[in-house]
Amino acid sequence: MLIDSHSHLEMPEFKRDLDEVIQRAKESGVEYIFTVGTEKKDWKMVLEIAHSYSSVYAILGVHPHNAKEIDGESYTILRELCRDEKVKAYGEIGLDFYRNLSPREIQLKRFREQIGLAKELKLPIVVHDREAHQETLEILKSEKAAECSGIIHCFSGDYEMARACMDMGFYISIPGGITFKNAERFQEIVKRIPLKSLLVETDAPFLAPVPFRGKRNEPSYIRYTVQKLAEIKKVSFEKVAEMTTKNVFRVYRFKFDPFDGIRRGNF
Ligand SMILES: [Zn+2]
Ligand SMILES: [Zn+2]
């Protein structure tokens, strides 16, 4: 069993053929897909997708790119929608100092606020950190994010950062970029992170792994990332699939072990 812990199925790239994309995922062994709604206009559609497919679950929040759009009603709407049984985490939230689509001061403020909201909602958080490692870590610590824990998605920090996040109970999620030729430094870091703290994700439609680099990414391609992780860790494909699946069930707080009496589509 494989799981794609992070994708964006509501994006326009999937408008034409979402049924086929989800079918292909199933045929490749991807039993569950988590799709992330990053801004107000997408939340309802994300929930609709999650309710249309038994294999799809939802994550809702405001992405750092959209932090400047948060207004008086945003958190009221999120409080309401996040009560839906298909919502398994709050996110993605965090800091993106690479593209800076929202002013940094606003990103920092909204990141802090949303950690607070996730704790109130009793949901784990999905953290987006791009070129803001130090600030991300500082906020996770000062806002006591260990109380909700969650996932550092598309991890791009160094081993010390991974260690600090794992110490707060976070999982480290590995995207398709690990398969790229120039990813040696990243692969060396991942080698040191124990499997019990690792997840895999596509972040589809972005970041397609080799041999699809540059094309639209989709959940069925998660197997290339799992395969690369198996090579790096010198273990079998099945071992990585099993461990990352268990970790997903743990972090999203499903009530039972996926390999022990699973009731499909009913947890
Ligand atoms: Zn992200
Ligand atoms: Zn994402």
Side-chain angles (χ1 to χ4, degrees):
M1 189 199 303
L2 298 171
I3 295 183
D4 183 356
S5 72
H6 188 120
S7 66
H8 299 280
L9 299 179
E10 79 293 347
M11 287 196 171
E13 285 85 345
F14 295 112
K15 211 183 170 83
R16 228 175 6 89
D17 62 346
L18 186 59
D19 277 346
E20 287 89 342
V21 164
I22 290 174
Q23 187 54 33
R24 269 199 298 279
K26 223 171 217 132
E27 284 159 11
S28 322
V30 182
E31 296 268 358
Y32 299 104
I33 304 167
F34 292 80
T35 190
V36 185
T38 56
E39 56 177 313
K40 195 195 277 177
K41 73 170 177 51
D42 291 339
W43 297 330
K44 286 235 164 80
M45 204 200 311
V46 166
L47 280 182
E48 269 170 39
I49 295 171
H51 281 283
S52 305
Y53 301 93
S54 62
S55 57
V56 180
Y57 284 82
I59 294 164
L60 301 180
V62 183
H63 193 286
H65 290 342
N66 308 94
K68 62 176 184 291
E69 294 152 23
I70 290 178
D71 57 27
E73 60 168 21
S74 300
Y75 295 150
T76 312
I77 297 171
L78 279 165
R79 268 191 190 93
E80 182 66 33
L81 297 181
C82 284
R83 271 198 241 127
D84 190 291
E85 55 175 20
K86 277 263 174 165
V87 175
K88 288 294 175 186
Y90 189 93
E92 50 185 289
I93 58 175
L95 305 171
D96 194 310
F97 289 177
Y98 177 68
R99 294 186 67 193
N100 289 308
L101 296 185
S102 284
R104 290 187 181 193
E105 281 317 306
I106 292 179
Q107 290 190 43
L108 292 161
K109 177 171 181 281
R110 298 308 193 184
F111 186 23
R112 289 182 189 280
E113 284 174 4
Q114 291 192 89
I115 293 172
L117 180 52
K119 285 201 271 187
E120 177 195 319
L121 293 166
K122 300 198 176 357
L123 289 171
I125 56 175
V126 175
V127 177
H128 172 107
D129 154 36
R130 194 153 181 212
E131 301 201 354
H133 304 325
Q134 203 51 47
E135 292 86 349
T136 298
L137 211 45
E138 274 166 27
I139 288 185
L140 290 177
K141 282 183 185 153
S142 63
E143 296 302 315
K144 299 189 172 55
E147 290 170 14
C148 54
S149 81
I151 297 168
I152 312 296
H153 112 89
C154 271
F155 182 73
S156 59
D158 58 14
Y159 178 74
E160 282 62 39
M161 174 163 189
R163 186 72 262 162
C165 293
M166 289 186 281
D167 288 346
M168 286 186 272
F170 277 80
Y171 289 81
I172 309 296
S173 184
I174 307 302
I178 190 97
T179 64
F180 296 174
K181 259 206 179 73
N182 57 0
E184 279 145 2
R185 198 183 141 262
F186 182 41
Q187 292 168 0
E188 284 306 314
I189 293 166
V190 172
K191 199 183 256 176
R192 298 174 64 192
I193 303 174
L195 259 180
K196 69 171 173 37
S197 294
L198 286 174
L199 302 180
V200 285
E201 66 172 282
T202 58
D203 206 16
F206 313 111
L207 274 175
V210 173
F212 299 104
R213 188 174 180 177
K215 303 230 167 64
R216 181 189 74 171
N217 198 1
E218 60 172 68
S220 66
Y221 298 168
I222 195 75
R223 57 173 46 257
Y224 298 95
T225 303
V226 171
Q227 181 58 43
K228 180 51 88 180
L229 214 46
E231 285 167 26
I232 292 168
K233 290 285 185 192
K234 296 192 169 58
V235 297
S236 67
F237 180 95
E238 288 71 25
K239 178 77 185 165
V240 174
E242 183 188 322
M243 288 293 285
T244 53
T245 295
K246 281 189 174 168
N247 293 343
V248 165
F249 275 67
R250 243 170 242 141
V251 69
Y252 292 133
R253 300 173 192 161
F254 285 105
K255 291 194 177 55
F256 55 89
D257 189 312
F259 302 99
D260 181 23
I262 187 164
R263 290 168 297 154
R264 295 190 43 202
N266 188 28
F267 54 84

